[in-house]
Amino acid sequence: MPEAVANRIAAGEVVERPASVVKELLENALDAGARSVRIEVESGGKRMIRVVDDGCGMSHDDALLAFERYATSKLRTADDLLSIATLGFRGEALPSIASVSRLLLETCIGGEAQGTRVEFAGGKLVGVKPAGLPAGTSVSVADLFYCVPARRKFLKSDTTELGHVASLVTHYALANPDKQFALKTPAQEIVNVPPVAALAERVYQLFGRQALQEMIEIAPVSAPIRAAITEPDMDESGRAGELTVRGFVSRPEVQRANRNGIYIFVNRRLVRDRLLLHAIHEAYRNILPADVFPMALLFVDLPCEEVDVNVHPAKIEVRFRHSQCVHDLARDTIRQGLSRVRPIASFAAPGRTASSMGSQPGVATAAAAAPAPMAPPRASLPLSDPCPGVPMEAFALTEAPVQPETQRFAFEAAAAESAAREGEPSEAHFGEAVQPPGQASEAPASAICLGELKPLGQVNASFIVAVNSEGLWIIDQHVAHERVLFEQHLRSRREGALTGQRLLVPMVVDLTPRQRAILEQISEELSANGFDVTPMGPQSVAIQATPAGVPNSDAERLVAEILDGIEREHQAISIDTLQAQIAASTACHAAIKINMPLDQTKMEWLLGELAKTESPMSCPHGRPVILRYSLREIERAFKRV
């Protein structure tokens, strides 16, 4: 195959659109040790892309060698593929880009008297000559796909392509807060962020103060890497290194319709990983509704030999050597951060609009026009049954006798709090530092002071109105009691089997074939939760006992809800998840209902018990429990401030 044809085939994998060119050139700049990277684009990158950095530069010979296929200075032997520490490593980017554009490379090593200028057009070398240049490298890519009209016609509008480029630059700016990034067009400067010391400052630079206030900082948490979370730590000779998880996640009231607000970085590489997406989803289980998504900036750092980045042509997917350990530490770290802060939703302020992690100040028309090119896929995890009518053979539980741990990794509250104070500034602290003069800081609502609430009465016998020194609080009594019962049920179950209440007359109900199949798999766990469900023929079962507090009239609906809820998730499900699902359904049916008058004593008891829960901000199904109308918001509404 002619080399020109081979390069164009490679370009089909590497160069999908202008943002793909920016990605490859940005990665090369960062690998070269650049402290400042400037990106200039015209017509969304179709007419011109220029990436200028102050990295180490290249010599004359290396500048020419860089355009040979598979020529790279980042790998020496095949064993280096098992421990890749750079963003790029294949040596395909420059020859692939040069084969479908007019490319000009200008580079110079620091301290050298002159640099090198190399020019390509359609994959053919046009000229090489010395030139007086500053230290670093500049790559200009003009007329992308000019020699491949069929590819060029598939590009989107200039605004859409610019949106993809802006999103990409945002990703790399988040992953490298210690470096300067600038993105410009002939008409505007879209991104210009100087280097900062903390990730919180970079979040503020890119997304603004409101987005930072909607996020919860996850202090760095490290744990030794091991094959499974139930295994003991390895000795020094077999230790694989440490895994660290940190970042920001959104408060429960901040909800998105898709996953486009979730950014995952592994060793500062933006990736699209189902494993970590699932870990984030599990951390928010019983906090957010099932059909919405949080926003997250999750950074996972681990030894290079523990992750394989050579599994995707565009290097946006990875494989972990100890995937279960990575998943569980990410899940538990986020869950611990949410439990420690215990955020509470506030009333929406007049004129306030929801912030978007997918857009930046000054790039509303560009970045909002298209989803991020490297954002995680919108399709959810493959949990649906491909063969609805077939018995569910793939459904499986972990062994029932194994007592699950409520938390896989040990977290010390004092250590986490001190790390948050001594390390990167928290959202509240940083918000005070960056807000404009004359605007007083208002700390985000937290559940820490729930025990101080004084109930005043009810609205429509459904919502408790309470006050404290911070303002006015409204509590949904049904979901508040549901949260209390959920955590009590889950805690009691993990301490041992629960006893149920016998029905005076067993209730016989019919089940579908799939429900029967699920019942056979989880019958032991149902019994341990206080249920007594006995088969009564090929299609019927008799419900003879339910957990305490569940009305007899709700027994049939409760069993069907549990079976149908598992049916929606059905593949392999852990004991932890199953217990939480049973506890959530049971608590919902046993909790006090709306339109139920409560006296002062009962309201005080409910608020006191809610204050003791780990996640009082939402019910097990994700609905908010409490809304706060802060004193400052009340004063603002009455025009006193």
PDB file of all heavy atoms in Angstrom, residues 304-327:
ATOM      1  N   CYS A 304       1.385   4.172  36.379  1.00  0.00           N
ATOM      2  CA  CYS A 304       1.121   3.997  34.947  1.00  0.00           C
ATOM      3  C   CYS A 304       0.956   2.538  34.563  1.00  0.00           C
ATOM      4  O   CYS A 304       0.187   2.218  33.646  1.00  0.00           O
ATOM      5  CB  CYS A 304       2.249   4.628  34.135  1.00  0.00           C
ATOM      6  SG  CYS A 304       2.439   6.395  34.399  1.00  0.00           S
ATOM      7  N   GLU A 305       1.640   1.644  35.248  1.00  0.00           N
ATOM      8  CA  GLU A 305       1.533   0.225  34.891  1.00  0.00           C
ATOM      9  C   GLU A 305       0.206  -0.387  35.323  1.00  0.00           C
ATOM     10  O   GLU A 305      -0.110  -1.520  34.945  1.00  0.00           O
ATOM     11  CB  GLU A 305       2.683  -0.565  35.510  1.00  0.00           C
ATOM     12  CG  GLU A 305       2.776  -0.481  37.018  1.00  0.00           C
ATOM     13  CD  GLU A 305       3.644   0.679  37.483  1.00  0.00           C
ATOM     14  OE1 GLU A 305       3.944   1.564  36.642  1.00  0.00           O
ATOM     15  OE2 GLU A 305       4.015   0.699  38.664  1.00  0.00           O
ATOM     16  N   GLU A 306      -0.598   0.366  36.083  1.00  0.00           N
ATOM     17  CA  GLU A 306      -1.890  -0.143  36.539  1.00  0.00           C
ATOM     18  C   GLU A 306      -3.025   0.202  35.588  1.00  0.00           C
ATOM     19  O   GLU A 306      -4.172  -0.168  35.840  1.00  0.00           O
ATOM     20  CB  GLU A 306      -2.208   0.425  37.928  1.00  0.00           C
ATOM     21  CG  GLU A 306      -1.336  -0.117  39.034  1.00  0.00           C
ATOM     22  CD  GLU A 306      -1.547  -1.604  39.260  1.00  0.00           C
ATOM     23  OE1 GLU A 306      -2.714  -2.035  39.265  1.00  0.00           O
ATOM     24  OE2 GLU A 306      -0.553  -2.328  39.423  1.00  0.00           O
ATOM     25  N   VAL A 307      -2.748   0.931  34.518  1.00  0.00           N
ATOM     26  CA  VAL A 307      -3.795   1.325  33.581  1.00  0.00           C
ATOM     27  C   VAL A 307      -3.265   1.182  32.160  1.00  0.00           C
ATOM     28  O   VAL A 307      -2.119   1.521  31.874  1.00  0.00           O
ATOM     29  CB  VAL A 307      -4.264   2.777  33.863  1.00  0.00           C
ATOM     30  CG1 VAL A 307      -3.104   3.742  33.797  1.00  0.00           C
ATOM     31  CG2 VAL A 307      -5.359   3.202  32.911  1.00  0.00           C
ATOM     32  N   ASP A 308      -4.092   0.650  31.280  1.00  0.00           N
ATOM     33  CA  ASP A 308      -3.731   0.472  29.871  1.00  0.00           C
ATOM     34  C   ASP A 308      -4.480   1.513  29.056  1.00  0.00           C
ATOM     35  O   ASP A 308      -5.710   1.489  28.974  1.00  0.00           O
ATOM     36  CB  ASP A 308      -4.100  -0.943  29.412  1.00  0.00           C
ATOM     37  CG  ASP A 308      -3.655  -1.228  27.980  1.00  0.00           C
ATOM     38  OD1 ASP A 308      -2.995  -0.354  27.382  1.00  0.00           O
ATOM     39  OD2 ASP A 308      -3.971  -2.321  27.465  1.00  0.00           O
ATOM     40  N   VAL A 309      -3.744   2.444  28.449  1.00  0.00           N
ATOM     41  CA  VAL A 309      -4.371   3.496  27.643  1.00  0.00           C
ATOM     42  C   VAL A 309      -4.316   3.171  26.158  1.00  0.00           C
ATOM     43  O   VAL A 309      -4.839   3.932  25.344  1.00  0.00           O
ATOM     44  CB  VAL A 309      -3.702   4.858  27.904  1.00  0.00           C
ATOM     45  CG1 VAL A 309      -3.821   5.234  29.364  1.00  0.00           C
ATOM     46  CG2 VAL A 309      -2.242   4.848  27.480  1.00  0.00           C
ATOM     47  N   ASN A 310      -3.743   2.048  25.806  1.00  0.00           N
ATOM     48  CA  ASN A 310      -3.586   1.679  24.387  1.00  0.00           C
ATOM     49  C   ASN A 310      -4.708   0.749  23.946  1.00  0.00           C
ATOM     50  O   ASN A 310      -4.481  -0.327  23.397  1.00  0.00           O
ATOM     51  CB  ASN A 310      -2.224   1.014  24.178  1.00  0.00           C
ATOM     52  CG  ASN A 310      -1.889   0.831  22.708  1.00  0.00           C
ATOM     53  OD1 ASN A 310      -2.352   1.585  21.863  1.00  0.00           O
ATOM     54  ND2 ASN A 310      -1.094  -0.182  22.403  1.00  0.00           N
ATOM     55  N   VAL A 311      -5.957   1.151  24.218  1.00  0.00           N
ATOM     56  CA  VAL A 311      -7.092   0.292  23.891  1.00  0.00           C
ATOM     57  C   VAL A 311      -8.093   0.981  22.978  1.00  0.00           C
ATOM     58  O   VAL A 311      -9.133   0.413  22.675  1.00  0.00           O
ATOM     59  CB  VAL A 311      -7.814  -0.187  25.180  1.00  0.00           C
ATOM     60  CG1 VAL A 311      -6.913  -1.075  25.999  1.00  0.00           C
ATOM     61  CG2 VAL A 311      -8.321   1.000  25.988  1.00  0.00           C
ATOM     62  N   HIS A 312      -7.791   2.204  22.537  1.00  0.00           N
ATOM     63  CA  HIS A 312      -8.732   2.951  21.706  1.00  0.00           C
ATOM     64  C   HIS A 312      -7.930   3.803  20.726  1.00  0.00           C
ATOM     65  O   HIS A 312      -6.901   4.383  21.094  1.00  0.00           O
ATOM     66  CB  HIS A 312      -9.619   3.843  22.579  1.00  0.00           C
ATOM     67  CG  HIS A 312     -10.765   4.474  21.842  1.00  0.00           C
ATOM     68  ND1 HIS A 312     -10.629   5.630  21.106  1.00  0.00           N
ATOM     69  CD2 HIS A 312     -12.067   4.095  21.717  1.00  0.00           C
ATOM     70  CE1 HIS A 312     -11.795   5.947  20.569  1.00  0.00           C
ATOM     71  NE2 HIS A 312     -12.680   5.045  20.917  1.00  0.00           N
ATOM     72  N   PRO A 313      -8.365   3.897  19.459  1.00  0.00           N
ATOM     73  CA  PRO A 313      -7.605   4.698  18.485  1.00  0.00           C
ATOM     74  C   PRO A 313      -7.397   6.140  18.914  1.00  0.00           C
ATOM     75  O   PRO A 313      -6.341   6.721  18.674  1.00  0.00           O
ATOM     76  CB  PRO A 313      -8.473   4.615  17.214  1.00  0.00           C
ATOM     77  CG  PRO A 313      -9.257   3.361  17.370  1.00  0.00           C
ATOM     78  CD  PRO A 313      -9.511   3.213  18.829  1.00  0.00           C
ATOM     79  N   ALA A 314      -8.391   6.737  19.548  1.00  0.00           N
ATOM     80  CA  ALA A 314      -8.275   8.131  19.982  1.00  0.00           C
ATOM     81  C   ALA A 314      -7.829   8.260  21.437  1.00  0.00           C
ATOM     82  O   ALA A 314      -7.814   9.371  21.969  1.00  0.00           O
ATOM     83  CB  ALA A 314      -9.612   8.848  19.787  1.00  0.00           C
ATOM     84  N   LYS A 315      -7.523   7.155  22.096  1.00  0.00           N
ATOM     85  CA  LYS A 315      -7.007   7.137  23.467  1.00  0.00           C
ATOM     86  C   LYS A 315      -7.984   7.767  24.459  1.00  0.00           C
ATOM     87  O   LYS A 315      -7.577   8.448  25.399  1.00  0.00           O
ATOM     88  CB  LYS A 315      -5.644   7.851  23.539  1.00  0.00           C
ATOM     89  CG  LYS A 315      -4.558   7.172  22.728  1.00  0.00           C
ATOM     90  CD  LYS A 315      -3.321   8.043  22.603  1.00  0.00           C
ATOM     91  CE  LYS A 315      -3.597   9.241  21.718  1.00  0.00           C
ATOM     92  NZ  LYS A 315      -2.382  10.033  21.416  1.00  0.00           N
ATOM     93  N   ILE A 316      -9.272   7.561  24.265  1.00  0.00           N
ATOM     94  CA  ILE A 316     -10.261   8.122  25.182  1.00  0.00           C
ATOM     95  C   ILE A 316     -10.903   7.048  26.048  1.00  0.00           C
ATOM     96  O   ILE A 316     -11.800   7.347  26.825  1.00  0.00           O
ATOM     97  CB  ILE A 316     -11.351   8.902  24.417  1.00  0.00           C
ATOM     98  CG1 ILE A 316     -12.067   7.996  23.414  1.00  0.00           C
ATOM     99  CG2 ILE A 316     -10.771  10.120  23.735  1.00  0.00           C
ATOM    100  CD1 ILE A 316     -13.219   8.675  22.713  1.00  0.00           C
ATOM    101  N   GLU A 317     -10.451   5.807  25.936  1.00  0.00           N
ATOM    102  CA  GLU A 317     -10.900   4.735  26.806  1.00  0.00           C
ATOM    103  C   GLU A 317      -9.682   4.075  27.421  1.00  0.00           C
ATOM    104  O   GLU A 317      -8.611   4.023  26.805  1.00  0.00           O
ATOM    105  CB  GLU A 317     -11.745   3.708  26.041  1.00  0.00           C
ATOM    106  CG  GLU A 317     -13.060   4.261  25.521  1.00  0.00           C
ATOM    107  CD  GLU A 317     -13.887   3.204  24.807  1.00  0.00           C
ATOM    108  OE1 GLU A 317     -13.455   2.029  24.806  1.00  0.00           O
ATOM    109  OE2 GLU A 317     -14.930   3.546  24.250  1.00  0.00           O
ATOM    110  N   VAL A 318      -9.829   3.563  28.629  1.00  0.00           N
ATOM    111  CA  VAL A 318      -8.728   2.914  29.325  1.00  0.00           C
ATOM    112  C   VAL A 318      -9.227   1.614  29.946  1.00  0.00           C
ATOM    113  O   VAL A 318     -10.435   1.382  30.053  1.00  0.00           O
ATOM    114  CB  VAL A 318      -8.138   3.823  30.425  1.00  0.00           C
ATOM    115  CG1 VAL A 318      -7.527   5.076  29.828  1.00  0.00           C
ATOM    116  CG2 VAL A 318      -9.196   4.189  31.458  1.00  0.00           C
ATOM    117  N   ARG A 319      -8.287   0.783  30.348  1.00  0.00           N
ATOM    118  CA  ARG A 319      -8.591  -0.440  31.078  1.00  0.00           C
ATOM    119  C   ARG A 319      -7.725  -0.482  32.319  1.00  0.00           C
ATOM    120  O   ARG A 319      -6.525  -0.221  32.246  1.00  0.00           O
ATOM    121  CB  ARG A 319      -8.322  -1.682  30.209  1.00  0.00           C
ATOM    122  CG  ARG A 319      -9.203  -1.786  28.987  1.00  0.00           C
ATOM    123  CD  ARG A 319     -10.657  -2.069  29.338  1.00  0.00           C
ATOM    124  NE  ARG A 319     -11.468  -2.219  28.141  1.00  0.00           N
ATOM    125  CZ  ARG A 319     -12.083  -1.228  27.528  1.00  0.00           C
ATOM    126  NH1 ARG A 319     -11.958   0.014  27.998  1.00  0.00           N
ATOM    127  NH2 ARG A 319     -12.809  -1.428  26.451  1.00  0.00           N
ATOM    128  N   PHE A 320      -8.337  -0.811  33.457  1.00  0.00           N
ATOM    129  CA  PHE A 320      -7.612  -0.860  34.718  1.00  0.00           C
ATOM    130  C   PHE A 320      -7.218  -2.297  35.040  1.00  0.00           C
ATOM    131  O   PHE A 320      -7.995  -3.232  34.825  1.00  0.00           O
ATOM    132  CB  PHE A 320      -8.465  -0.297  35.858  1.00  0.00           C
ATOM    133  CG  PHE A 320      -8.790   1.162  35.703  1.00  0.00           C
ATOM    134  CD1 PHE A 320     -10.039   1.566  35.250  1.00  0.00           C
ATOM    135  CD2 PHE A 320      -7.851   2.126  36.003  1.00  0.00           C
ATOM    136  CE1 PHE A 320     -10.347   2.902  35.105  1.00  0.00           C
ATOM    137  CE2 PHE A 320      -8.149   3.475  35.856  1.00  0.00           C
ATOM    138  CZ  PHE A 320      -9.396   3.861  35.410  1.00  0.00           C
ATOM    139  N   ARG A 321      -6.034  -2.435  35.602  1.00  0.00           N
ATOM    140  CA  ARG A 321      -5.570  -3.767  35.994  1.00  0.00           C
ATOM    141  C   ARG A 321      -6.363  -4.287  37.182  1.00  0.00           C
ATOM    142  O   ARG A 321      -6.691  -5.463  37.250  1.00  0.00           O
ATOM    143  CB  ARG A 321      -4.076  -3.683  36.339  1.00  0.00           C
ATOM    144  CG  ARG A 321      -3.439  -5.013  36.663  1.00  0.00           C
ATOM    145  CD  ARG A 321      -1.964  -4.810  36.983  1.00  0.00           C
ATOM    146  NE  ARG A 321      -1.346  -6.044  37.403  1.00  0.00           N
ATOM    147  CZ  ARG A 321      -0.139  -6.123  37.950  1.00  0.00           C
ATOM    148  NH1 ARG A 321       0.568  -5.004  38.111  1.00  0.00           N
ATOM    149  NH2 ARG A 321       0.364  -7.272  38.323  1.00  0.00           N
ATOM    150  N   HIS A 322      -6.669  -3.405  38.137  1.00  0.00           N
ATOM    151  CA  HIS A 322      -7.480  -3.780  39.303  1.00  0.00           C
ATOM    152  C   HIS A 322      -8.742  -2.914  39.282  1.00  0.00           C
ATOM    153  O   HIS A 322      -8.881  -1.954  40.049  1.00  0.00           O
ATOM    154  CB  HIS A 322      -6.693  -3.569  40.591  1.00  0.00           C
ATOM    155  CG  HIS A 322      -5.467  -4.421  40.705  1.00  0.00           C
ATOM    156  ND1 HIS A 322      -4.193  -3.955  40.511  1.00  0.00           N
ATOM    157  CD2 HIS A 322      -5.338  -5.745  40.967  1.00  0.00           C
ATOM    158  CE1 HIS A 322      -3.325  -4.936  40.660  1.00  0.00           C
ATOM    159  NE2 HIS A 322      -3.996  -6.036  40.939  1.00  0.00           N
ATOM    160  N   SER A 323      -9.639  -3.235  38.387  1.00  0.00           N
ATOM    161  CA  SER A 323     -10.804  -2.385  38.146  1.00  0.00           C
ATOM    162  C   SER A 323     -11.734  -2.303  39.349  1.00  0.00           C
ATOM    163  O   SER A 323     -12.297  -1.247  39.633  1.00  0.00           O
ATOM    164  CB  SER A 323     -11.569  -2.897  36.923  1.00  0.00           C
ATOM    165  OG  SER A 323     -11.959  -4.246  37.099  1.00  0.00           O
ATOM    166  N   GLN A 324     -11.894  -3.406  40.095  1.00  0.00           N
ATOM    167  CA  GLN A 324     -12.806  -3.393  41.231  1.00  0.00           C
ATOM    168  C   GLN A 324     -12.317  -2.438  42.317  1.00  0.00           C
ATOM    169  O   GLN A 324     -13.098  -1.714  42.938  1.00  0.00           O
ATOM    170  CB  GLN A 324     -12.956  -4.800  41.811  1.00  0.00           C
ATOM    171  CG  GLN A 324     -14.056  -4.924  42.847  1.00  0.00           C
ATOM    172  CD  GLN A 324     -15.443  -4.699  42.260  1.00  0.00           C
ATOM    173  OE1 GLN A 324     -15.752  -5.219  41.204  1.00  0.00           O
ATOM    174  NE2 GLN A 324     -16.265  -3.915  42.936  1.00  0.00           N
ATOM    175  N   CYS A 325     -11.027  -2.429  42.534  1.00  0.00           N
ATOM    176  CA  CYS A 325     -10.449  -1.524  43.536  1.00  0.00           C
ATOM    177  C   CYS A 325     -10.661  -0.071  43.133  1.00  0.00           C
ATOM    178  O   CYS A 325     -11.031   0.769  43.959  1.00  0.00           O
ATOM    179  CB  CYS A 325      -8.964  -1.842  43.701  1.00  0.00           C
ATOM    180  SG  CYS A 325      -8.109  -0.804  44.910  1.00  0.00           S
ATOM    181  N   VAL A 326     -10.431   0.250  41.855  1.00  0.00           N
ATOM    182  CA  VAL A 326     -10.623   1.619  41.364  1.00  0.00           C
ATOM    183  C   VAL A 326     -12.086   2.036  41.511  1.00  0.00           C
ATOM    184  O   VAL A 326     -12.403   3.135  41.983  1.00  0.00           O
ATOM    185  CB  VAL A 326     -10.167   1.733  39.901  1.00  0.00           C
ATOM    186  CG1 VAL A 326     -10.489   3.108  39.337  1.00  0.00           C
ATOM    187  CG2 VAL A 326      -8.674   1.449  39.770  1.00  0.00           C
ATOM    188  N   HIS A 327     -12.984   1.158  41.115  1.00  0.00           N
ATOM    189  CA  HIS A 327     -14.418   1.449  41.183  1.00  0.00           C
ATOM    190  C   HIS A 327     -14.853   1.743  42.616  1.00  0.00           C
ATOM    191  O   HIS A 327     -15.523   2.743  42.898  1.00  0.00           O
ATOM    192  CB  HIS A 327     -15.201   0.267  40.621  1.00  0.00           C
ATOM    193  CG  HIS A 327     -16.685   0.383  40.755  1.00  0.00           C
ATOM    194  ND1 HIS A 327     -17.347   0.065  41.926  1.00  0.00           N
ATOM    195  CD2 HIS A 327     -17.652   0.778  39.880  1.00  0.00           C
ATOM    196  CE1 HIS A 327     -18.643   0.254  41.763  1.00  0.00           C
ATOM    197  NE2 HIS A 327     -18.853   0.696  40.544  1.00  0.00           N
TER     198      HIS A 327
END
